[in-house]
């Protein structure tokens, strides 16, 4: 049953990204021959699992179709690495951040910094439903793990 739920969550993430990315392409005014005008930063807890590799590949395919550039980063399940990645994405700056948090509490300050910089953050797979993160996350993509 756990594998089924992970499959549903993966399908949900891929489907949502496939819907979100074309809209972003239309908003940014990109065309297939133009240089990317919309830059997305995605920081994953890890890219060493087939689950996250599938999300990365699907998002990349959808983004390429709409001439959106995605910077994919793996934190390798290291909190400090992900905090550094978030800081780098904010300073770059990107237009949007997809965040799969290694640790929710450790990412509160980076999510707040992204909002202060005007960069929306969307979490996926692991939600940041805490009092401290309320109002800083645009939305969450994922399935409920409740029975």
């Amino acid at each position: 049953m756990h594998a089924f739920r992970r499959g549903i969550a993966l399908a949900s993430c891929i489907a949502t990204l496939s819907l979100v990315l074309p809209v972003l392409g239309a908003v940014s005014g990109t065309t297939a021959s133009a240089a990317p005008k919309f830059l997305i930063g995605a920081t994953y807890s890890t890219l060493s699992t087939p689950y996250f590799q599938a999300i990365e590949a699907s998002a990349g395919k959808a983004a390429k179709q709409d001439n959106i550039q995605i910077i994919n980063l793996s934190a390798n399940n290291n909190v400090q690495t992900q905090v550094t990645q978030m800081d780098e994405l904010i300073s770059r700056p990107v237009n949007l951040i997809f965040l799969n948090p290694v640790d929710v509490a450790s990412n509160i300050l980076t999510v707040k910094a992204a909002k202060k910089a005007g960069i929306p953050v969307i979490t996926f797979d692991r939600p940041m439903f805490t009092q401290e993160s309320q109002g800083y996350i645009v939305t969450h993509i994922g399935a409920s793990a409740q029975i």
Side-chain angles (χ1 to χ4, degrees):
M1 190 58 116
H2 181 68
F4 177 75
R5 285 195 184 118
R6 293 289 284 188
I8 295 296
L10 173 61
S12 173
C13 285
I14 291 170
T16 303
L17 289 173
S18 296
L19 293 172
V20 169
L21 293 176
V23 171
L24 296 176
V27 169
S28 67
T30 59
T31 63
S33 61
K37 294 182 182 174
F38 201 89
L39 182 61
I40 296 173
T43 174
Y44 297 78
S45 57
T46 182
L47 281 171
S48 65
T49 65
Y51 175 74
F52 290 119
Q53 291 168 356
I55 293 172
E56 177 191 31
S58 296
K61 184 177 178 182
K64 186 175 182 179
Q65 290 173 346
D66 291 297
N67 207 26
I68 297 169
Q69 182 181 355
I70 300 180
I71 300 167
N72 291 297
L73 304 170
S74 175
N76 297 314
N77 289 313
N78 183 296
V79 173
Q80 189 53 51
T81 298
Q82 189 165 60
V83 168
T84 300
Q85 290 172 346
M86 285 289 289
D87 290 340
E88 289 171 358
L89 292 172
I90 293 165
S91 67
R92 191 160 192 150
V94 295
N95 301 104
L96 174 70
I97 295 175
F98 283 120
L99 170 64
N100 167 242
V102 172
D103 178 70
V104 172
S106 300
N107 275 294
I108 297 292
L109 292 177
T110 60
V111 167
K112 288 181 178 183
K115 182 170 183 172
K116 185 176 180 182
I119 303 169
V121 176
I122 297 174
T123 57
F124 63 98
D125 188 54
R126 296 178 185 159
M128 288 186 65
F129 299 136
T130 66
Q131 191 71 18
E132 296 86 6
S133 66
Q134 221 171 24
Y136 293 95
I137 305 295
V138 174
T139 193
H140 173 73
I141 302 169
S144 171
Q146 297 177 4
I147 296 177

